[in-house]
């Protein structure tokens, strides 16, 4: 979404304009969803209505913020926007993990900061090299995608590590009792959590272009870019997301695993702390 | 040796000011009704848990004073429900020494070593390449015992090693344990619900109830003339 907006803003003048009336007409499609909900008494009507309004308001606000950030052209404003995106995603990463937020958030937050930050820095400084390193037209949409994927990887890794560490308590303590390090004792849960986090990234690489047409590429094409250039951007994006997810997930399992053990290398009875 | 040990789990006192000495070089039976805190006590000795209050001493030094992994290799622990690591029987035994880290392994974990270890727990060396998934309960218990012995511990903690076994298999395992202890001058502490097992195979007995020590002493003396009414009543069922 961010990508589409950002690129459309910079897009070529032949792009079709979408008026407020057009938006209202598109809203009819949400009415269809609400109709289905009413028909089957799913009770989702309110959710759709509120959701449609929220999505509109959020995106319009983001649009204006981006217009401002683009126009201001200040490096610190761009970094501030990136920080807000990171903070929002870090918050969202802790939801389904099954452990207290105060334990999970520092781990996923730090992992996302390092994993997403390094990936963005690499793409910016080494791969794309825009004339101005802080060009928001690149950094903001790229970081939006990186952070979104890093968030999913972090959440999957943490969620899976929580459940594996719990279900394998016996095995972990059997290793500890023999004098194993916590890292060795938790090797199997670590591998499983990391695999769970990385499989979506592998799958995404496999099916892109066949089953999925990524939003960024579609957005660029809609905004008038040549499909061949859009494809090249998309390849960069796919590789970038793979790296970001792998790095972030690895940092999550390494940081989070420690929380399950005491300083004396005992498995905490009440889960991570 | 435990001094004034208190252990709380989720707010309840499972060990309540326990003072116990477990004599070196002997086979000690740890007996008492279910929930007495026997498992909780063993876990303190291998430092899988730390007590809420009090001190646990190993050879006169607080266990907290030893590097924890070294302590755990010197004090082996076989759980009540044996946990097999993935792979073969030999993999399980090798895992135990590999954990010591490169250069620290006390032995070359070759085929002869595996066979020797299996023989010491009276398992045919032909078991070495078998997948642990398909072993019976008694076989798993023996592999777990061999795996605990792989690090050559000075103390062996056994939590109801025979609970899940047929009486006949249980008795064979007990004689194995006693022999392993006698061969090496190893200290053994075993929790058991089979009082006849305590009477026939151990030299020292510790009777616990509700997180406290009831009575301790030479097994013979305890079974023949326990001073405490509770001990007499409990042991009489043997
Ligand atoms: N992890 C735990 N959390 C809460 N209570 C526990 C836990 N482990 C054991 N207990 C309680 O502590 C008491 C002693 O348990 P345990 O040491 O396993 O006794 P035993 O081995 O003598 O049967 C029991 O009442 C048990 O319910
Ligand atoms: Mg028990």
């Amino acid at each position: 979404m961010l990508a589409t907006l950002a690129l459309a803003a910079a897009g070529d003048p032949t792009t079709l304009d979408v008026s407020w009336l057009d938006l209202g007409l598109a809203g009819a499609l949400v009415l269809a969803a609400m109709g289905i909900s009413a028909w089957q008494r799913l009770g989702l009507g309110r959710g759709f209505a509120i959701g449609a309004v929220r999505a509109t308001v959020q995106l319009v606000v983001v649009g204006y913020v981006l217009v401002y950030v683009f126009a201001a052209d200040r490096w610190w404003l761009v970094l501030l926007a990136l920080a807000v995106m990171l903070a929002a995603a870090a918050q969202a990463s802790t939801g389904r993990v099954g452990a207290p937020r105060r334990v999970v958030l520092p781990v996923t937050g730090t992992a996302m900061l390092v994993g997403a930050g390094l990936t963005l820095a690499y793409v910016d400084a080494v791969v794309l090299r825009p004339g101005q390193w802080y060009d928001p037209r690149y950094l903001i949409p790229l970081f939006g995608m990186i952070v979104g994927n890093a968030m999913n990887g972090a959440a999957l890794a943490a969620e899976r590590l929580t459940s594996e560490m719990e279900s394998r308590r016996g095995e972990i303590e059997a290793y500890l009792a023999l004098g194993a390090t916590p890292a060795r004792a938790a090797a199997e849960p670590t591998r499983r959590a990391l695999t769970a986090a990385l499989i979506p990234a592998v799958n995404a690489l496999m099916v892109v272009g066949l089953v999925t047409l990524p939003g960024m590429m579609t957005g660029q094409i809609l905004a008038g870019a040549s499909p061949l250039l859009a494809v090249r951007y998309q390849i960069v994006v796919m590789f970038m997301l793979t790296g970001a997810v792998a790095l972030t997930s690895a940092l999550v399992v390494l940081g989070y695993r420690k929380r399950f053990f005491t300083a004396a290398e005992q498995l905490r009875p009440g889960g991570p702390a | 040796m435990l001094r004034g040990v208190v252990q709380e789990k989720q707010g309840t006192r499972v060990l309540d000011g326990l003072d116990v000495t477990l004599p070196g070089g002997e086979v000690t039976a740890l007996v008492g009704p279910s929930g007495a805190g026997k498992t909780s006590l063993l876990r303190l000795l291998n430092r899988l848990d730390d007590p809420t209050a009090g001190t646990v001493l190993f050879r006169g030094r607080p266990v907290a004073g030893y590097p924890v992994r070294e302590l755990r290799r010197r004090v082996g622990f076989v759980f009540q429900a044996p946990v097999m690591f993935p792979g073969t029987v030999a993999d399980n035994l090798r895992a135990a020494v590999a954990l010591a880290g490169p250069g620290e392994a006390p032995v070359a974990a070759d085929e002869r070593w595996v066979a020797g270890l299996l023989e010491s727990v009276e398992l045919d060396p032909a078991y070495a390449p078998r997948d642990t998934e398909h072993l019976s309960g008694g076989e798993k218990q023996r592999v777990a015992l061999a795996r605990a012995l792989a690090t050559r511990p000075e103390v062996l903690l056994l939590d109801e090693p025979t609970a899940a076994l047929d009486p006949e298999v249980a008795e064979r395992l007990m004689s194995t344990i006693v022999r392993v202890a006698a061969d090496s001058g190893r200290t053994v502490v075993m929790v058991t619900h089979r009082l006849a097992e305590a009477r026939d195979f151990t030299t020292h007995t510790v009777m616990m109830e509700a997180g406290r020590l009831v009575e301790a002493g030479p097994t013979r003396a305890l079974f023949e003339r326990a001073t405490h009414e509770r001990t007499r009543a409990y042991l009489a069922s043997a």
Side-chain angles (χ1 to χ4, degrees):
Chain A
M1 293 169 308
L2 284 174
T4 313
L5 264 176
L7 292 157
D12 107 10
T14 64
T15 307
L16 289 176
D17 192 43
V18 180
S19 70
W20 291 104
L21 176 65
D22 298 335
L23 283 187
L25 293 174
L29 297 169
V30 178
L31 285 181
M34 290 170 72
I36 289 171
S37 166
W39 167 51
Q40 285 292 314
R41 302 210 185 99
L42 304 179
L44 295 176
R46 247 176 76 89
F48 274 125
I50 295 173
V53 172
R54 270 191 65 158
T56 308
V57 171
Q58 285 163 203
L59 288 173
V60 168
V61 169
V62 166
Y64 278 109
V65 169
L66 290 180
V67 166
Y68 175 71
V69 172
F70 279 60
D73 195 27
R74 292 277 185 283
W75 63 267
W76 56 268
L77 208 53
V78 176
L79 289 192
L80 183 67
L82 301 185
V84 170
M85 293 160 77
L86 181 75
Q91 282 291 325
S93 70
T94 62
R96 284 166 297 118
V97 171
R101 165 167 295 209
R102 102 195 117 66
V103 177
V104 182
L105 186 58
V107 174
T108 55
T110 309
M112 287 168 66
L113 173 65
V114 177
L118 284 181
T119 309
L120 183 68
Y122 180 81
V123 171
D124 186 48
V126 180
V127 183
L128 293 180
R129 302 181 305 275
Q132 196 184 37
W133 69 266
Y134 59 88
D135 191 340
R137 197 179 130 213
Y138 296 98
L139 292 198
I140 289 181
L142 290 177
F143 202 58
M145 290 184 283
I146 292 178
V147 153
N149 281 264
M151 173 186 79
N152 287 334
L156 277 174
E159 187 184 358
R160 187 64 183 266
L161 194 63
T162 308
S163 62
E164 292 284 340
M165 291 294 291
E166 184 52 39
S167 65
R168 293 175 179 271
R169 292 188 71 89
E171 175 190 311
I172 294 166
E173 289 200 321
Y175 275 112
L176 289 180
L178 282 165
T181 60
R184 177 65 187 89
E188 191 62 26
T190 304
R191 281 190 47 245
R192 286 170 185 254
L194 212 42
T195 308
L198 294 190
I199 282 192
V202 177
N203 288 341
L205 288 172
M206 297 291 180
V207 302
V208 69
L210 300 176
V211 183
T212 60
L213 269 192
M216 191 209 72
M217 199 175 99
T218 347
Q220 267 186 309
I221 295 172
L222 280 173
S226 133
L228 288 181
L229 180 63
V231 160
R232 257 183 284 164
Y233 264 95
Q234 189 57 43
I235 293 170
V236 169
V237 165
M238 296 301 293
F239 292 172
M240 165 185 95
L241 297 182
T242 305
V245 169
L247 195 55
T248 306
S249 310
L251 291 170
V252 166
V253 292
L254 289 182
Y256 190 33
R257 186 172 68 191
K258 293 196 194 112
R259 305 303 187 101
F260 289 82
F261 296 93
T262 67
E265 306 188 355
Q266 295 148 340
L267 189 58
R268 289 182 189 279
Chain B
M1 193 166 97
L2 292 90
R3 268 206 219 126
V5 163
V6 174
Q7 178 71 311
E8 291 179 354
K9 288 182 182 173
Q10 294 175 352
T12 57
R13 246 173 210 234
V14 303
L15 297 177
D16 191 6
L18 196 60
D19 287 282
V20 183
T21 302
L22 301 160
E26 294 203 44
V27 179
T28 296
L30 192 52
V31 301
S34 232
K38 306 180 294 294
T39 300
S40 303
L41 189 159
L42 291 192
R43 291 175 58 90
L44 295 174
L45 300 175
N46 171 275
R47 225 185 157 205
L48 281 177
D49 294 324
D50 279 334
T52 316
T55 318
V56 182
L57 301 153
F58 174 54
R59 298 192 182 281
R61 257 172 74 193
V63 289
Y66 292 87
V68 64
R69 280 171 245 146
E70 181 199 312
L71 177 84
R72 288 177 182 155
R73 280 194 281 271
R74 291 172 66 178
V75 182
F77 192 173
V78 179
F79 298 162
Q80 181 169 358
V83 182
M84 294 289 104
F85 302 148
T88 65
V89 170
D91 292 338
N92 268 262
L93 303 185
R94 289 202 180 97
V97 286
L99 294 173
E104 273 184 70
V107 287
D110 57 13
E111 250 168 69
R112 274 190 39 213
W113 173 82
V114 168
L117 214 47
L118 289 178
E119 272 164 3
S120 76
V121 297
E122 280 145 36
L123 268 184
D124 193 312
Y127 274 86
R130 283 183 49 178
D131 194 318
T132 48
E133 240 180 278
H134 309 300
L135 299 180
S136 74
E139 289 162 346
K140 282 184 184 167
Q141 199 57 267
R142 277 172 196 269
V143 174
L145 180 62
R147 194 176 62 193
L149 291 170
T151 62
R152 300 185 175 174
E154 296 152 48
V155 179
L156 196 55
L157 310 173
L158 305 164
D159 197 355
E160 305 195 30
T162 61
L165 309 182
D166 302 333
E168 193 189 324
V169 184
E171 197 167 322
R172 282 217 311 277
L173 184 67
M174 274 317 300
S175 25
T176 307
I177 290 167
V178 168
R179 191 183 39 70
V180 164
D183 284 356
S184 53
R186 203 169 259 137
T187 305
V188 175
V189 180
M190 59 169 276
V191 174
T192 181
H193 275 300
R194 302 182 184 221
L195 295 171
E197 208 165 68
R199 185 191 59 209
D200 300 342
F201 290 99
T202 72
T203 54
H204 194 83
T205 295
V206 173
M207 160 80 186
M208 281 175 71
E209 187 162 42
R212 292 166 186 271
L213 175 73
V214 177
E215 194 169 358
T219 299
R220 283 273 290 275
L222 233 67
F223 274 84
E224 281 167 13
R225 44 189 153 70
T227 43
H228 284 256
E229 184 50 43
R230 281 299 305 149
T231 320
R232 264 202 297 275
Y234 187 74
L235 297 185
S237 51

